Amino acid sequence: MRGVKTIARGALVTALAVALVLLVSGCVGDTPQSVNDPRADNAQKIWDLFMPIFWLSVGVFVIVQGIVIVALIRFRRRPDSPVPRAIHGNTKLEIAWTLAPALILAAIAVPTISTIADLAREPGPEALTVRVVGQQWWWAFEYPDSGVVTADELHVPVGRPVHLELKSKDIIHSFWVPKLAGKQDVVPGRTNRITFTADTPGEYSGQCAEFCGAKHANMKFRVIVQTPEEFEAWLAQQQQAAVEPEPGSIEAQGKEVFMSSGCVGCHTIKGTDAKGQLGPDLTHFGSRGLIAGGVLTNTPENLKAWVHDAPSIKPGQPGRPLGMPAFTGLTDEQVNALVAYLESLK
Ligand code: CUA
């Protein structure tokens, strides 16, 4: 019996230690998806609201648990304890414990409501509008003022408000870039909005934060914050038509494979016959750092593996063939040409 108790106690201590390590690991600042290192006004305002509420909660926790522990020890039953005296009501105490939580809740509500109103404010005319379309299981980014459409990577300029119009093509997703902006649900049939102004150039990872099916965890993206000059150069380059391969080159063979296989059914390459709408626009595919819904870096090897057998990289739902299918019918030579063509689309 004692052996079982020792094992149970050991298991409990181990479980608590693991839980504590996981809890404390959330405090590390410079991890890609940490909220405690904000790099935009939106995330900063949420952080500035979160911290005072957190410390207030710690205070409440310590006081309440302290009173419970003192009461448990000081007033515990002893063998010679007399039967306790029955007490009915204590007006002062009841007023105190009604008033105290009401004041604490008011202290939390006032800054919370003002932050919500602040974050919901419409930006000025200088803002950059980007339409974000969430879908199983990737993100499309459309720049309505310049006609640019891309996927998996959102480019924005530093120091300028970015106004995102969030839409969904299918079910509910949630747009979240921990270092730049708080979560916002992306709901079919309506447009939600987020505005943020990034303050530091760099790359920030984002993630769908609402469970949306088998590949939810693989619905990632990246926000690339650039200097205004870099951003304008990127935008100008994305507005160009797709690069046309040299006749007779491996890229030209790849284009032929693309246009004669299933690819055209789902993807658009501007300036060609490919006008599919189901998958990402590939007009400037070669200029992206991430592919496959943000799961893979864009290298010829990864793209080859993706074309050959996408479902094994992003496993889907049995019976729901959403996402990129496996192109097992293509020869190695055809896939190599296809990869060369797509990577040439800078
Ligand atoms: Cu989209 Cu989870």
Side-chain angles (χ1 to χ4, degrees):
M1 206 51 202
R2 167 158 286 181
V4 174
K5 264 190 183 164
T6 312
I7 291 169
R9 193 175 302 152
L12 183 67
V13 169
T14 310
L16 284 175
V18 170
L20 189 69
V21 168
L22 289 175
L23 189 73
V24 173
S25 70
C27 303
V28 178
D30 56 353
T31 52
Q33 306 223 122
S34 163
V35 292
N36 58 6
D37 181 24
R39 299 300 173 91
D41 58 342
N42 183 306
Q44 185 69 52
K45 283 172 189 168
I46 294 172
W47 180 247
D48 292 345
L49 174 68
F50 170 76
M51 278 323 276
I53 294 177
F54 172 77
W55 287 116
L56 197 62
S57 312
V58 169
V60 170
F61 178 83
V62 168
I63 291 170
V64 172
Q65 297 306 311
I67 292 172
V68 168
I69 290 166
V70 166
L72 280 173
I73 295 168
R74 172 103 169 67
F75 303 107
R76 71 186 186 279
R77 183 172 151 76
R78 297 188 175 86
D80 54 348
S81 299
V83 176
R85 192 160 57 87
I87 301 171
H88 292 279
N90 184 322
T91 312
K92 272 186 201 160
L93 208 56
E94 282 166 19
I95 289 173
W97 73 44
T98 306
L99 215 54
L103 289 174
I104 292 171
L105 287 179
I108 291 173
V110 171
T112 302
I113 291 167
S114 102
T115 304
I116 289 172
D118 198 9
L119 293 179
R121 201 165 293 145
E122 292 276 319
E126 80 285 10
L128 170 77
T129 298
V130 185
R131 203 167 292 143
V132 178
V133 185
Q135 50 211 290
Q136 289 172 313
W137 284 275
W138 58 282
W139 299 91
F141 302 107
E142 304 169 8
Y143 297 72
D145 297 336
S146 49
V148 167
V149 180
T150 184
D152 302 341
E153 287 181 335
L154 168 64
H155 286 247
V156 299
V158 72
R160 177 174 166 197
V162 177
H163 184 60
L164 301 181
E165 297 178 352
L166 304 161
K167 291 167 183 279
S168 169
K169 247 188 188 173
D170 36 48
I171 59 169
I172 301 178
H173 304 276
S174 178
F175 183 89
W176 189 34
V177 195
K179 291 190 184 220
L180 301 180
K183 289 173 192 165
Q184 182 65 262
D185 273 2
V186 182
V187 183
R190 62 166 293 150
T191 303
N192 284 343
R193 292 157 205 284
I194 294 185
T195 304
F196 68 88
T197 308
D199 59 31
T200 316
E203 294 185 1
Y204 302 95
S205 66
Q207 169 76 48
C208 176
E210 176 85 34
F211 181 68
C212 57
K215 298 181 206 172
H216 154 72
N218 288 332
M219 191 170 162
K220 301 181 192 183
F221 60 101
R222 179 151 76 179
V223 180
I224 299 173
V225 178
Q226 297 172 297
T227 63
E229 300 75 43
E230 283 168 351
F231 174 73
E232 290 304 328
W234 175 82
L235 206 60
Q237 180 248 338
Q238 296 288 309
Q239 282 173 290
Q240 315 263 314
V243 176
E244 192 52 36
E246 291 279 317
S249 64
I250 183 168
E251 288 84 4
Q253 288 169 33
K255 184 177 177 188
E256 223 159 87
V257 174
F258 189 95
M259 298 303 163
S260 59
S261 67
C263 311
V264 280
C266 292
H267 297 281
T268 290
I269 297 179
K270 285 193 195 97
T272 74
D273 294 336
K275 295 186 169 61
Q277 293 294 323
L278 284 174
D281 184 306
L282 302 179
T283 309
H284 295 282
F285 176 85
S287 69
R288 294 181 202 153
L290 295 178
I291 60 170
V295 172
L296 297 175
T297 49
N298 188 1
T299 65
E301 294 69 40
N302 282 344
L303 179 57
K304 216 175 282 176
W306 180 245
V307 171
H308 263 307
D309 192 6
S312 77
I313 294 169
K314 256 173 100 169
Q317 254 148 300
R320 282 201 79 194
L322 285 167
M324 172 95 169
F327 282 89
T328 43
L330 297 178
T331 64
D332 262 359
E333 207 184 355
Q334 284 174 314
V335 173
N336 285 340
L338 188 59
V339 168
Y341 171 56
L342 291 172
E343 295 295 2
S344 76
L345 299 174
K346 297 284 182 195

